[in-house]
Amino acid sequence: MIKLLFFGRLGDFATGLSTSIDAVDGLTPAAVRDGLAAGHPQLVYELSQPQVLISLNQMIVDWDHPIVDGAELAFLPPVTGG
Amino acid sequence: MISTIRIQTQDFDLAAEYQLLRQLKASVGAVVTFSGLVRDLEQQQSINSLTLQHYAGMTESLLQGIVDQAEMRWDLIGITVIHRVGKLLPSDQIVFVGVASQHRSDAFEAAQFVMDYLKTKATFWKKVDQNGQQYWVESKSSDQAARDRWSTDD
């Protein structure tokens, strides 16, 4: 299982979405994003914005980084703390 | 160097945090503190509240990374970073950065560095409530520019 997290405004577009997906061979963050396209086109549009970062197990990675079973994948819009 | 990083819902006591930094070592010759507050206006309109979300675990490690970078760049004795999460009201304290060093320039610069990086790197997101209408705050290019001035020094 891969745990999915959507932070900030991305969370509003992910309402009702399952918080985990099955792990498959060759899975990448880009593939996870593209797999959401059918049911959540607006979310995929938001995830495709260049400012969106992704983390795997709380480390920033690229969209083509391999995902292993048990990982936590988070989608991070630009931060606004402080 | 002694670093303290806390993410919490409850308020913090500026005087108490200052005293802790002041008393770290007898060699402390300067303490710079910064506190960030909730402004009453967002996009020229008054707000009812602000809600801060963060990515637990990742936020703490990102803040530790920023503090570690500051330690490499300046001669520091202590750094404290406190960031509040949850629902906050106008004038509430959101963030505290305190830096203790032997000399003032190290403390001034490191405090500004930590804030500039915190604002653009640490995983916090603000949601505003304006008369029941809620929206997420957009990031500002001025914050990116403030951070980028530190990297041009390298």
Side-chain angles (χ1 to χ4, degrees):
Chain A
M1 295 289 270
I2 311 297
K3 185 177 177 188
L4 300 181
L5 296 169
F6 300 89
F7 285 95
R9 63 195 304 272
L10 299 176
D12 294 348
F13 296 102
T15 309
L17 195 71
S18 172
T19 54
S20 65
I21 55 170
D22 289 331
V24 292
D25 284 346
L27 195 62
T28 63
V32 172
R33 177 194 60 199
D34 297 343
L36 299 169
H40 299 80
Q42 186 64 33
L43 173 63
V44 173
Y45 172 78
E46 297 292 336
L47 295 178
S48 304
Q49 298 306 303
Q51 313 91 320
V52 172
L53 299 179
I54 39 169
S55 67
L56 256 183
N57 295 330
Q58 308 203 344
M59 300 286 288
I60 301 290
V61 296
D62 290 327
W63 286 95
D64 59 357
H65 197 284
I67 301 176
V68 296
D69 196 9
E72 179 175 283
L73 173 63
F75 297 91
L76 315 168
V79 298
T80 54
Chain B
M1 192 194 71
I2 295 163
S3 64
T4 304
I5 291 165
R6 299 207 308 265
I7 315 283
Q8 59 191 44
T9 53
Q10 71 268 33
D11 202 6
F12 53 83
D13 181 345
L14 187 61
E17 298 303 332
Y18 164 73
Q19 289 300 340
L20 287 171
L21 285 163
R22 180 189 165 204
Q23 290 160 13
L24 279 179
K25 274 173 112 175
S27 58
V28 171
V31 176
V32 166
T33 65
F34 169 82
S35 344
L37 311 177
V38 179
R39 274 187 299 275
D40 63 343
L41 296 178
E42 186 68 37
Q43 298 180 354
Q44 285 83 52
Q45 291 195 38
S46 61
I47 70 160
N48 297 79
S49 66
L50 199 63
T51 302
L52 271 135
Q53 181 191 45
H54 85 117
Y55 188 176
M58 186 161 182
T59 312
E60 288 87 342
S61 56
L62 287 167
L63 289 175
Q64 188 63 55
I66 294 168
V67 165
D68 291 346
Q69 281 185 61
E71 184 182 10
M72 283 190 281
R73 291 178 75 131
W74 291 281
D75 191 5
L76 306 175
I77 296 168
I79 297 185
T80 302
V81 179
I82 303 170
H83 204 297
R84 294 180 68 194
V85 291
K87 187 176 176 181
L88 299 171
L89 302 175
S91 298
D92 277 355
Q93 302 186 116
I94 303 181
V95 60
F96 172 87
V97 171
V99 182
S101 61
Q102 278 186 274
H103 303 288
R104 71 182 184 284
S105 63
D106 291 308
F108 270 127
E109 290 181 22
Q112 203 147 22
F113 173 91
V114 169
M115 268 312 298
D116 288 344
Y117 271 77
L118 180 155
K119 287 205 74 103
T120 52
K121 292 286 187 188
T123 41
F124 294 101
W125 296 274
K126 288 190 186 112
K127 195 175 206 177
V128 166
D129 186 311
Q130 265 172 348
N131 295 321
Q133 295 273 74
Q134 297 196 338
Y135 64 89
W136 293 94
V137 173
E138 298 286 337
S139 62
K140 297 188 184 78
S141 57
S142 57
D143 288 332
Q144 304 285 344
R147 186 200 69 208
D148 289 347
R149 73 200 154 116
W150 297 106
S151 52
T152 54
D153 294 341
D154 291 340

